[in-house]
Amino acid sequence: MSKEDSTNEELYQKPPSILKMIANFAISMAEFIAKGAPIVNMRDYKQRVRACGNCPHLKTKRMQCGLCGCFVEHKAKMKTAQCPDTPQRWAPQTPEYRPNE
């Protein structure tokens, strides 16, 4: 663990394995696609990225969450995605239903 990746060693948690990261990504993408790929608005996106930027779990070199392994700048766009921290750092979103056209 580098000092840049965490300023508070007590909050450090071993990042998920590559297999767990792939599983997390697959689950997130399946839900995202099933709900019509809803994207958050720019204000909410900036709030999410800012919240992650202030999180001690963030791996700053890669902008990667140390809890779930996601790349924050991508996951923060998905309205169906949630912050894995407890309590969550992102405001809840309600994806709109879009029937197949």
Side-chain angles (χ1 to χ4, degrees), residues 5-7 11 49-60 65-67 83 85 89:
D5 281 345
S6 179
T7 57
L11 291 175
V49 172
R50 190 171 33 257
C52 290
N54 294 325
C55 179
H57 301 293
L58 181 68
K59 307 301 178 197
T60 54
C65 176
L67 296 177
C83 171
D85 203 3
R89 297 173 180 273

Side-chain angles (χ1 to χ4, degrees), residues 5-8 10-13 43-59 64-68 70 72 75-76 81-93:
D5 281 345
S6 179
T7 57
N8 189 344
E10 295 155 7
L11 291 175
Y12 178 74
Q13 190 170 355
R43 179 184 51 106
D44 289 341
Y45 173 73
K46 288 179 181 179
Q47 180 276 327
R48 286 176 167 206
V49 172
R50 190 171 33 257
C52 290
N54 294 325
C55 179
H57 301 293
L58 181 68
K59 307 301 178 197
Q64 187 175 16
C65 176
L67 296 177
C68 68
C70 75
V72 169
K75 185 176 182 178
Q82 297 179 5
C83 171
D85 203 3
T86 304
Q88 286 195 33
R89 297 173 180 273
W90 295 352
Q93 299 281 317

